[in-house]
Structure formats: structure tokens, C-alpha cells
Amino acid sequence: MTQPNNDKVGPLFDAANNQRIFLTDDDRRKLEMESTEYITGAEAGQIDVPRGQAGRERPYTARSALRPTRVNPITLLPIELLGIVLQLGLPSLDVMSWSWSHQECHPYMAGLYTLRSVSTLWRDVVDGTPSLWTVISSTFPPEVNRTSLARSGTYPLIIYSPGPRWRETPPPLREFLQTVKPHLHRWGSVALRLSSDSESVEDLPRFTSLRLDTLKIDIVVEPEWEAAEILQATKHIEISDETLRNIQFVDLSLVPMDWSRAFRNFRDLRSLSLDGVSAGGAITHQQILDVLAASPNLETLLFKDLETQDPPSDPSLSTGRIFLPKLQSITLMTNGLLLTESVLRAIQVPPNIGRLDIRPTSFPTPEAAASFWLSTMVPWAPVAQQIYQESYQSAIRLISDGASHLETYFDEYGLFIEFEGLSMISALLWIRDVIGAVAMIEEGGSLQMYSDYVVLERDDVLAILQMMQGITEISVELPTGSRKPSLEALLNVLAQPTADTIHTTDPIPSFPGLESLVLFDWRWGLDSILDMLQRRFSMRSTTRYHVPDIDLDMSTYVPWPMGREGSRAIVPFSTLKALRELDGVGEVRTTFRSKQSGTPAVIWDEESSFPAWG
């Protein structure tokens, strides 16, 4: 080959023809531009190498001599390590957190098949990694489950069946179980929601897998069923002693099996949730405490509608003998007060608990209620206070003839304390100790109080509530009839200083953090409310304490026409003007909560000869 005489550049060597190639500067710039375009397209995924061509040699060209060799670093990983990396990119599989959704496992399986479609290498890695194929669900097509069973090798399986959808023909559970029964020795996590008919329960095998560490079963029954009928329907559920000793996560609802044998074998549990276990199941109080004592790694404890065969004679005998340092969540919603009291007394207060849900019922006497809240619950007050301070919002709901509660709103865990009318005063005193120790809510948080008007007529309740300085909103539920509720006690408290500053020269209004007063459907005039606000904000001129403005909300969800029972009084414009101009009053809302049409708020109805709300 003749070497050109002008614009010569460094030679390239053509190994195929055993000769050198000389390029001009123009040729080299052109090839560099084409090479850059090629690389850019490959990085954007625009170049698809035909299947089977990846390993073939291509004819040599001048362009290939300039093209840089690019290798994706992930393809250099060992196959086993690449399988682990791919698994980290899939949704997590936390069986205990699943809520019986038919879509519960679908994101995982969809992600798995998406990884297979990336490349031939990834497909081979995914298909050859057994740990990726362990999810078996009755909501998957049968061929998908058969493929997973074949590819999962000897790995423990996750068996999931959420039961039928609402008003849907039950899925073929028997066919699903027939598919997975040959692999019973590999069952590692089982989550089954079963109907109460005997046919679906009889299809269950005897649980004998020594690899079973998670058992979650929920029996769906008709509301009118009695405990004896449930026991008869579920008597075929059997678990071997060896399997019971290996289980670490238990979540059973309405499964009255041989509980006495189960509690003799439960050891080293990490999660224990029991719902709807009656005394017919023969669980003794001592067995429950023994299981807790034998499970120092317990993280979650939930008892709901749990009754023991022999209530304890003296719960104080076991005070503080069980230490569960890893416990993060405790929920007690039992009909038996003695069981709740005994469990709370027996457990030492954990250092890092994030959820505390206590809902005792059936206090026999006010003295029993006072003993529970002012003795048993006292050690748990610091835990509740920590959760309260870390929450971004909290609320107290008071109901005169039902269950009241304190609730916090948190990202993952939270605080929920429930109490009834008989124990309201004792519970509020305990809540006062939790909240009262915190002068004000952290910036950005709030404590709301919702109450029916009957509760706020009680002086003893108001005396405790006004000590909770973190309350930022008071919302009162008013009667639906025409009888005017008596809010005189509440309005007087709002207009007075706190008990410790009433005789000082620097008075602080009661509920000093109050920013919003909500009186839905208030329709009896504003004179008493205006008088309260005038008296409350008169303290602004003498106190050094910051008294926030109050937003007043007296709106309704529907308009209230005049001339019928429960009609609204027409508020004089002068009263509204005085209210709006009062220093300390922020927003005032009196119309119904709807997009306004622009019509007058009050018009005259010629037919009824009454004013009406527009």
C-alpha cells in the first residue's frame, strides 16, 4: 500500500491483512465523530445486539480500530454475587406486615420478571438463583407457581393465600394446596386467610416443616357465629411440637387450636399476635407469662380479645420480672382487665418501644379503674411521653357514652390510649402526667381535642384538661336538635387565667396554646363567645406570655334554613364586626363548608315569612 505524501498522520495497523493504514486528519476527525455517535447511542440503550451475536467476531474496519472497548462493570461480578445484587433491587418480603391484599406479592414477581428481560446474562442469573423464586401465591397463575417451585431448589418457601375478594367466588384453594403440599418440608413462611367452612380448613395439611419460622392464619367467620362453632370448624388445624418450637413469628386470628400444647412449645418468639382466642382454648395466664419470659428477642406483642382460663390472683406478684429489651410494639385490647394489668406489670418498660396501644375495658368499679391508670400505667408514662413528643400530631377524643382515647400520628408507630366513662377521670390524670410535663408541643406539632358538649359540662374534666398546655385546638360536637347546649363551663374556663397565675400580676389564660376553637353547627348567637374572647384577650396587655390568636369556626357542612327545628339565629352585623375587630381573633368562619355561589348569606323567604340562609 502506497503511503500518501500530504497530511500524513500516525498509522493504524490492520491485523487481518497484516498491513498499516495511514489516515488524513479529515478522515480521523470523521471517524472520531462517528465513533462518538455510536458510543452515545449504546449508552442510551438504542443499540440492540441481535441474540447470538454478542460473542462473534466482526470484520475489522478503521472505525473499530478507534472505538473504545466498554464493559459494564456489573457483568464482571461473580454469578452468585450478581444474584444477590439483583435481589436487593426487588421489593422486600415482610409476611407479618401483609394485610391480605390480592396484590401483596405482585410487585415482587413483576420486578423479578422485569430483571429477566434486561439481558441474556441477567436472565440466566435470575433463573439460576433459587432464593429469588421462593414466593408462591394463590393469586398467581398456576404455571407461574410451578415455575417458581421448580427454580427455587431446596430453599424455604413463602406460601401466601389471601382468600376470596368481597362477594367473589372463593379461589380454588384445594388446587393451590395440592400444588404446594409436595413441598411441605420446605414451607418457611405461611400466610393463609381461610373461610370458616369446614371444606377449606380440612384441606390444610398437618404442619410438620422444621423450617417453618412464620405462621400467619386468619379465619374469616360469619358475625353470628359462636366460639364453639369456630372451634368446631378449625379443629383440623394441627402443628407438630417440633414445628412449634422453631416458629419465631406468630399471627393467629380466630384459630382456637390446642393452645395449651402450643404455649408449652413456643420459645424464643420475635413476634406474637393473637386475636379472638377464647377461654375454650384452654390458655392459662401462667403460660402466657412463661412464653414472654422465654422470648427475650420479642419485638411485637399483640393480644386482642384474648381470654385466659385462670385469671391471676395477684398481678403484683410478677411485677417487673420479664425483660424484653428489643420490644418495639405492644398492643393490648383484651376484655379481661386482669390479663392486661398483669402483662403490663410483669414486663419491664422496654428502652426503645415505639408503639403503645392500650385499650382496657370492663372496669368493675371506679376504684379498679383508678388502680389501673394511677398505679399499673405509671411506669409506662415516660414511654408514652417520648412517643408523644416524637409525633407530629396528637389528638384527644372525649365521648360521654362511649370509648374515649388519646392518639398520636406517627410515620410507623404511635400512641393509642383508650378509656371509658367509668375510668375517664383516672385516665385523664395519667394523660395529664404524660402531656403536662411538656410545656408546649414541639414546633410544627399540635394537640387537638375533640369532645361532645356533655363531657365539657363537667368541672372535674375541665380542671384536668386546662393543665395540658399543649392543646392547640378544641373542637366541640354539638347536639342536632334545637336544645341549646350549655357551654358556660368551657367558656368561663377559656376566659380565666390558669390556676397558678390567677392571683398574680402576670396572668396567663387557660389553654395558653389554644389557636383554634371549632363549634360545628353553632346557631344560638355569638354574645357569650364574644364576651369570652374579650375577657381572654384582655390579659394580653398585662402578661409577658405570648397568647396566640384564635381562629373561630362555626361553620356547617350543609346550609341551615330558617323557620324549622334547629334553625340558626341571625347574628347582628354589629356583633360580627366587633368579633372580627377584636385583637386576638384570627379567621372567623360562619357559613357552611362549600364553595360559595356569591349569593347573600341571609335572604328573606316570602313563602314562609322567615329569613333563610342562602
Side-chain angles (χ1 to χ4, degrees):
M1 186 174 181
T2 304
Q3 178 175 335
N5 295 322
N6 56 339
D7 296 327
K8 292 193 282 288
V9 296
L12 297 176
F13 185 75
D14 184 354
N17 300 315
N18 193 25
Q19 61 181 350
R20 292 184 299 174
I21 301 174
F22 292 87
L23 301 177
T24 64
D25 290 339
D26 292 339
D27 292 335
R28 182 178 293 275
R29 282 193 296 267
K30 181 178 180 181
L31 288 175
E32 287 177 348
M33 293 177 60
E34 292 177 351
S35 177
T36 303
E37 293 175 358
Y38 177 89
I39 299 300
T40 304
E43 291 177 345
Q46 299 171 358
I47 295 179
D48 184 17
V49 179
R51 182 175 298 180
Q53 298 293 325
R56 296 183 182 177
E57 294 185 0
R58 298 181 180 180
Y60 176 85
T61 62
R63 178 187 301 177
S64 64
L66 292 176
R67 183 184 307 140
T69 302
R70 292 203 171 207
V71 179
N72 193 331
I74 198 171
T75 62
L76 303 178
L77 294 175
I79 297 299
E80 296 80 4
L81 184 56
L82 180 57
I84 296 175
V85 172
L86 296 181
Q87 189 165 16
L88 294 175
L90 293 171
S92 60
L93 297 171
D94 184 6
V95 177
M96 294 296 288
S97 66
W98 290 354
S99 58
W100 306 116
S101 168
H102 280 243
Q103 304 297 321
E104 202 71 66
C105 305
H106 287 210
Y108 177 88
M109 192 58 66
L112 186 62
Y113 276 86
T114 299
L115 291 178
R116 292 184 77 251
S117 65
V118 172
S119 67
T120 302
L121 173 63
W122 284 28
R123 181 194 63 196
D124 295 339
V125 171
V126 169
D127 292 351
T129 305
S131 60
L132 297 176
W133 297 93
T134 58
V135 180
I136 313 297
S137 174
S138 63
T139 62
F140 293 161
E143 57 272 16
V144 173
N145 285 329
R146 286 192 291 268
T147 300
S148 297
L149 290 171
R151 291 175 176 170
S152 58
T154 60
Y155 271 75
L157 300 174
I158 299 175
I159 309 299
Y160 180 65
S161 178
R165 290 186 175 91
W166 176 249
R167 294 182 177 180
E168 182 184 62
T169 303
L173 178 63
R174 176 170 296 177
E175 297 179 9
F176 173 70
L177 291 176
Q178 287 176 349
T179 303
V180 296
K181 275 182 181 180
H183 305 269
L184 180 62
H185 62 286
R186 291 204 288 138
W187 288 18
S189 299
V190 176
L192 301 174
R193 196 173 204 187
L194 309 174
S195 58
S196 55
D197 60 273
S198 59
E199 181 179 354
S200 65
V201 178
E202 287 176 354
D203 292 333
L204 289 179
R206 185 172 187 265
F207 294 95
T208 58
S209 173
L210 298 181
R211 307 173 79 174
L212 185 66
D213 70 345
T214 301
L215 183 62
K216 183 173 183 176
I217 299 179
D218 181 24
I219 306 295
V220 181
V221 300
E222 300 296 332
E224 62 271 13
W225 275 39
E226 299 293 337
E229 295 175 300
I230 302 173
L231 180 61
Q232 182 180 4
T234 59
K235 64 181 180 182
H236 298 283
I237 296 181
E238 298 180 3
I239 307 175
S240 67
D241 292 350
E242 294 80 6
T243 300
L244 288 170
R245 284 192 285 270
N246 291 328
I247 293 177
Q248 292 186 319
F249 301 89
V250 176
D251 185 351
L252 302 176
S253 177
L254 294 176
V255 186
M257 56 184 184
D258 187 353
W259 285 108
S260 179
R261 184 171 61 86
F263 271 78
R264 286 198 305 269
N265 288 281
F266 281 149
R267 289 295 180 270
D268 200 21
L269 296 176
R270 293 180 59 187
S271 178
L272 177 60
S273 299
L274 300 178
D275 181 2
V277 179
S278 64
I283 301 178
T284 66
H285 174 82
Q286 191 58 44
Q287 285 175 330
I288 292 177
L289 296 184
D290 289 344
V291 169
L292 296 180
S295 304
N297 295 317
L298 192 68
E299 300 173 2
T300 303
L301 176 62
L302 184 149
F303 289 156
K304 181 179 179 182
D305 297 334
L306 178 64
E307 299 177 3
T308 55
Q309 191 181 43
D310 57 336
S313 56
D314 187 1
S316 62
L317 296 178
S318 58
T319 300
R321 72 178 183 86
I322 300 177
F323 183 49
L324 304 174
K326 298 183 179 180
L327 189 63
Q328 300 178 12
S329 173
I330 179 169
T331 301
L332 300 177
M333 304 166 59
T334 64
N335 293 327
L337 172 63
L338 290 177
L339 174 61
T340 302
E341 187 171 14
S342 181
V343 170
L344 290 175
R345 285 182 176 273
I347 299 176
Q348 294 185 31
V349 179
N352 299 314
I353 192 167
R355 177 174 179 81
L356 184 63
D357 189 340
I358 307 298
R359 310 185 195 188
T361 58
S362 305
F363 287 102
T365 62
E367 290 75 20
S371 174
F372 177 81
W373 290 108
L374 303 180
S375 178
T376 303
M377 287 293 293
V378 167
W380 295 87
V383 172
Q385 184 183 84
Q386 180 179 357
I387 300 174
Y388 164 79
Q389 288 181 283
E390 293 177 352
S391 63
Y392 61 85
Q393 191 174 2
S394 305
I396 301 176
R397 188 175 297 274
L398 303 178
I399 303 176
S400 57
D401 57 352
S404 305
H405 66 260
L406 166 67
E407 180 179 18
T408 66
Y409 305 95
F410 203 62
D411 292 338
E412 186 174 0
Y413 297 118
L415 178 67
F416 196 99
I417 303 297
E418 188 174 87
F419 48 94
E420 296 180 340
L422 189 63
S423 61
M424 181 175 292
I425 295 300
S426 301
L428 286 178
L429 287 172
W430 181 83
I431 294 174
R432 178 203 62 187
D433 294 338
V434 172
I435 299 178
V438 183
M440 291 294 292
I441 295 287
E442 300 276 344
E443 184 178 356
S446 65
L447 174 60
Q448 301 169 330
M449 187 189 76
Y450 304 90
S451 176
D452 61 35
Y453 72 97
V454 177
V455 174
L456 297 180
E457 292 177 346
R458 298 176 52 174
D459 293 335
D460 53 352
V461 172
L462 288 173
I464 300 173
L465 291 177
Q466 61 181 304
M467 300 180 188
M468 302 179 189
Q469 300 185 20
I471 294 180
T472 58
E473 177 179 324
I474 297 178
S475 180
V476 184
E477 182 180 348
L478 302 172
T480 57
S482 59
R483 186 176 72 89
K484 180 179 179 180
S486 175
L487 294 183
E488 182 179 355
L490 173 62
L491 297 179
N492 283 337
V493 168
L494 291 175
Q496 295 176 355
T498 58
D500 56 341
T501 64
I502 191 171
H503 297 299
T504 67
T505 57
D506 191 19
I508 301 175
S510 299
F511 298 98
L514 187 64
E515 298 175 354
S516 177
L517 178 61
V518 182
L519 305 173
F520 282 129
D521 293 342
W522 180 265
R523 50 192 182 276
W524 295 280
L526 300 179
D527 292 340
S528 57
I529 297 175
L530 177 61
D531 177 69
M532 177 273 294
L533 294 172
Q534 289 173 338
R535 293 163 57 191
R536 177 181 180 85
F537 290 117
S538 65
M539 287 179 268
R540 274 190 165 184
S541 59
T542 57
T543 184
R544 292 171 296 176
Y545 189 89
H546 171 67
V547 181
D549 292 352
I550 291 182
D551 293 334
L552 187 60
D553 190 343
M554 298 172 290
S555 59
T556 65
Y557 289 108
V558 294
W560 279 86
M562 305 299 296
R564 66 177 175 89
E565 183 180 9
S567 61
R568 279 187 160 193
I570 300 298
V571 180
F573 180 77
S574 58
T575 303
L576 288 174
K577 186 173 181 294
L579 181 65
R580 193 64 187 87
E581 293 177 348
L582 183 63
D583 181 29
V585 175
E587 179 182 350
V588 178
R589 178 183 288 272
T590 60
T591 58
F592 62 93
R593 296 198 167 202
S594 177
K595 184 177 181 180
Q596 305 301 318
S597 62
T599 59
V602 181
I603 60 175
W604 185 262
D605 189 342
E606 295 291 349
E607 294 182 359
S608 61
S609 297
F610 275 100
W613 289 88

